[in-house]
């Protein structure tokens, strides 16, 4: 496993997104995509001409009003009495491409100044342009559970919970 300090400053992960509905009828959806994994303090520097093709915009995350994604994250953490003291934050998310973004889930691994993982934030977006953040404290295997507090799908009620596996990013990343 890669420690918080050893994770790359930027990586592009090819992904297979799988969604399975078991009731009232079983239905599976699978599609390929990619996700960026970036250090919020060292985002990839693309030439000016390529920036419309892939960029990260603070308005796509948290309340959408902070000047940077990191500032939005720190506001969220501060509202829960968490201070990562300038530690490293690694974000996994879709980039805004040609002015558009579809980003159902952004994940933030938040480390303190010594490099220790303090928490993980899972930011869920729905198709109505709303978002909700879950503050997680994964176990040693990267597992976490959160009560569902946000309407995501017209097919599912808000009741229930999420079971997540959020290991630190490395050469490979397998989130559930």
């Amino acid at each position: 496993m890669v420690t918080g300090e050893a994770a790359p400053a930027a990586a592009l992960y090819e992904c297979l997104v799988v969604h399975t509905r078991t009731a009232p009828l079983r239905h599976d959806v699978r599609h390929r995509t990619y996700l960026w994994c970036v250090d919020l303090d060292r985002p990839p520097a693309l030439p000016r001409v390529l920036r419309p093709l892939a960029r990260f915009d603070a308005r796509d995350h948290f309340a959408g009003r902070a000047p940077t994604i990191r500032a939005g994250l720190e506001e969220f953490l501060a509202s829960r009495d968490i201070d990562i003291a300038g530690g490293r934050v690694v974000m996994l998310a879709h980039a805004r491409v040609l002015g558009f973004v579809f980003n159902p889930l952004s994940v933030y691994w938040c480390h303190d100044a010594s490099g220790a993982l303090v928490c993980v934030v899972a930011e869920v977006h729905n198709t109505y342009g709303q978002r909700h953040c879950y503050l997680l404290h994964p176990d040693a295997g990267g597992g976490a559970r959160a009560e569902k507090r946000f309407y995501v799908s017209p097919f599912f009620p808000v009741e229930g919970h999420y079971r997540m596996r959020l290991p630190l990013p490395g050469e490979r990343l397998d989130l559930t």
Side-chain angles (χ1 to χ4, degrees), residues 39-154:
D39 182 321
L40 285 186
D41 293 325
R42 297 185 300 158
L46 294 175
R48 188 174 189 61
V49 69
L50 294 179
R51 287 183 198 151
L53 298 179
R55 64 186 171 94
F56 297 98
D57 196 318
R59 68 184 163 167
D60 298 327
H61 301 276
F62 301 100
R65 296 182 301 270
T68 65
I69 297 170
R70 179 157 185 136
L73 171 66
E74 288 179 346
E75 287 175 18
F76 171 79
L77 293 174
S79 73
R80 281 138 182 91
D81 295 322
I82 296 175
D83 180 8
I84 56 173
R88 186 172 190 218
V89 176
V90 177
M91 175 182 74
L92 181 73
H94 281 280
R96 178 172 280 271
V97 176
L98 297 175
F100 297 95
V101 66
F102 175 68
N103 198 17
L105 176 67
S106 298
V107 180
Y108 306 85
W109 287 268
C110 305
H111 301 84
D112 64 17
S114 73
L117 183 67
V118 174
C119 63
V120 174
V121 175
E123 180 183 27
V124 178
H125 303 222
N126 67 18
T127 55
Y128 305 107
Q130 301 164 320
R131 38 198 132 164
H132 182 78
C133 294
Y134 295 92
L135 177 63
L136 307 167
H137 297 281
D139 60 26
R145 178 183 160 116
E147 293 301 315
K148 190 174 177 188
R149 303 272 183 231
F150 179 65
Y151 181 77
V152 174
S153 167

